[in-house]
């Protein structure tokens, strides 16, 4: 990686860490766990060579109460 690329990567790492810190401040532990599961699922969808086929939906859903 070039020096410019390393600099850009470090800049974006800082931005992402700041965003994650803000998310951690506003979510409960349970909400943060669910957020992590969902963000990993989304990331896998984008890493799957662009295949974004709808997945089979589960019969039941679970709601999380969000505290404000």
């Amino acid at each position: 990686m070039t020096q410019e690329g390393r600099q850009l990567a470090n800049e974006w790492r800082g931005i992402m860490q700041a965003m994650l810190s803000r998310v951690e401040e506003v979510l409960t532990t349970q909400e943060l766990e669910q957020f992590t599961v969902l963000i990993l699922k989304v990331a896998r969808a984008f890493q799957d060579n662009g295949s974004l086929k709808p997945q089979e939906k589960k019969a039941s859903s679970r709601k999380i109460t969000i505290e404000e």
Side-chain angles (χ1 to χ4, degrees), residues 22-45:
R22 290 181 69 183
V23 168
E24 289 174 333
E25 289 175 8
V26 299
L27 296 181
T28 66
T29 302
Q30 183 181 14
E31 291 168 341
L32 191 56
E33 288 173 4
Q34 185 67 23
F35 175 76
T36 303
V37 169
L38 293 172
I39 202 72
L40 290 173
K41 185 174 184 178
V42 169
R44 279 192 300 271

Side-chain angles (χ1 to χ4, degrees), residues 1-63:
M1 185 182 294
T2 65
Q3 180 63 29
E4 183 181 349
R6 280 191 286 277
Q7 183 179 357
L8 188 58
N10 285 331
E11 182 180 328
W12 277 99
R13 182 180 309 176
I15 291 169
M16 295 302 290
Q17 287 175 336
M19 291 172 59
L20 181 57
S21 292
R22 290 181 69 183
V23 168
E24 289 174 333
E25 289 175 8
V26 299
L27 296 181
T28 66
T29 302
Q30 183 181 14
E31 291 168 341
L32 191 56
E33 288 173 4
Q34 185 67 23
F35 175 76
T36 303
V37 169
L38 293 172
I39 202 72
L40 290 173
K41 185 174 184 178
V42 169
R44 279 192 300 271
F46 283 101
Q47 290 177 350
D48 192 18
N49 295 326
S51 120
L52 297 176
K53 297 177 185 172
Q55 294 191 4
E56 204 174 296
K57 292 190 177 190
K58 295 180 181 177
S60 64
S61 63
R62 181 172 56 128
K63 292 185 178 183

